[in-house]
Amino acid sequence: FCPIPLSLSLPFDRPAPPRANMIYRLSVWAVLSCVAAAASERVSIEQRSDGSYAVVSSTKGPLGRSGTIRGAGGDGHIGAASNAGADAMRTWGVDGLEDELKEAEAVGLKVSAGIWMPHEKAMYENCSDMDADPAWQAELARYVKAVRKYKNSSGILWWTVGNEIETETAVTLGSECTWRRLEWAVQAVKREDPDHPVGTVIAGPHVPKIRLIGQFAPSLDFLGINAYGEESLLVGRNCLKANFTKPYAIMEFGPS
């Protein structure tokens, strides 16, 4: 397997939530942990002697429940998620993030803050000049504005830039341009907020895709993977096959 996130002994030992189109859907990405950082706090992902990963606060030490965070995703029902044992909530975009942070903070949860990126194939066909496209410049300005606004919130857990952006290009691969564009966006987010880990989330643990990501998006701190059914059993070994050595997080998980 790839280095197992945090203290989990297996990357798939998690409860199985239902998929999609529900106001409240468990998206168990309870693997890497991170926590909101005040302006004076720095959070880093550190590899432990047993090969697992822990996210460590410069002021609080290892975070989560012995280095593991259990998550739920969606809008609403934050109190129910907390009562069920969740440590954090996941969002997919920055719209409504302010309210989500307030609600999560009120019950002691953190927020995995998603930054939505376009899925349209045409957006990932020309990477000859990464800064030339005004549409992408507008996108990037929106990302950076949101990060600047919320980066010092005590509720921010980490940033995930993009969710399944490869699906309209090639779900099992993406493309060189897809992952170069992701790298371009990730670098901008990290420049604005160097104190939280930054990842992305992909659809399924496909080896060729993970290999391309490792090649063209080296600034990622971790790789988030949505994995359902039997695919969820392949995450660790496929990362290994792809020679991907950074931490990974299972961001959605459930039956096929």
Side-chain angles (χ1 to χ4, degrees):
F1 287 96
C2 288
I4 300 303
L6 301 182
S7 60
L8 299 180
S9 59
L10 291 174
F12 43 83
D13 185 18
R14 303 171 181 85
R19 176 151 173 102
N21 297 323
M22 298 182 65
I23 293 177
Y24 175 62
R25 59 177 183 175
L26 290 177
S27 54
V28 181
W29 38 268
V31 284
L32 299 176
S33 77
C34 178
V35 76
S40 60
E41 181 185 32
R42 183 175 180 83
V43 177
S44 59
I45 300 174
E46 298 183 4
Q47 190 170 22
R48 299 189 280 208
S49 59
D50 64 357
S52 65
Y53 285 90
V55 177
V56 179
S57 162
S58 62
T59 60
K60 299 176 183 177
L63 302 170
R65 302 185 183 192
S66 300
T68 299
I69 287 182
R70 295 180 291 183
D75 298 323
H77 301 281
I78 290 179
S82 178
N83 291 336
D87 302 303
M89 296 294 295
R90 180 192 177 194
T91 68
W92 284 255
V94 296
D95 293 341
L97 181 57
E98 184 169 354
D99 290 339
E100 190 87 7
L101 284 167
K102 288 178 181 178
E103 293 179 35
E105 289 170 349
V107 294
L109 298 187
K110 305 300 182 185
V111 175
S112 166
I115 297 173
W116 191 260
M117 290 182 69
H119 283 201
E120 294 84 357
K121 183 178 180 179
M123 295 290 284
Y124 301 98
E125 291 180 341
N126 183 3
C127 288
S128 58
D129 185 343
M130 301 294 282
D131 296 319
D133 190 333
W136 272 115
Q137 286 295 341
E139 283 288 319
L140 193 68
R142 181 174 65 84
Y143 307 161
V144 172
K145 181 179 179 180
V147 173
R148 183 175 299 133
K149 181 176 182 180
Y150 297 115
K151 64 183 180 181
N152 291 323
S153 168
S154 62
I156 290 291
L157 178 67
W158 60 35
W159 301 101
T160 57
V161 182
N163 179 74
E164 301 185 348
I165 63 173
E166 75 278 16
T167 52
E168 293 188 22
T169 300
V171 69
T172 62
L173 185 65
S175 67
E176 176 181 335
C177 186
T178 302
W179 307 123
R180 287 181 59 201
R181 182 62 72 180
L182 173 67
E183 170 72 6
W184 178 77
V186 166
Q187 286 184 9
V189 171
K190 296 185 77 167
R191 283 194 298 269
E192 181 60 38
D193 182 6
D195 293 325
H196 293 93
V198 179
T200 192
V201 183
I202 62 174
H206 306 102
V207 172
K209 177 167 61 181
I210 296 171
R211 186 177 291 119
L212 272 188
I213 291 169
Q215 182 177 356
F216 293 109
S219 294
L220 290 169
D221 294 308
F222 66 94
L223 179 63
I225 300 174
N226 296 336
Y228 288 82
E230 292 185 0
E231 276 195 340
S232 63
L233 306 180
L234 303 176
V235 173
R237 69 191 67 177
N238 283 6
C239 285
L240 182 62
K241 289 179 180 178
N243 295 317
F244 189 85
T245 58
K246 291 186 178 182
Y248 62 85
I250 295 182
M251 302 295 285
E252 295 178 18
F253 171 72
S256 298

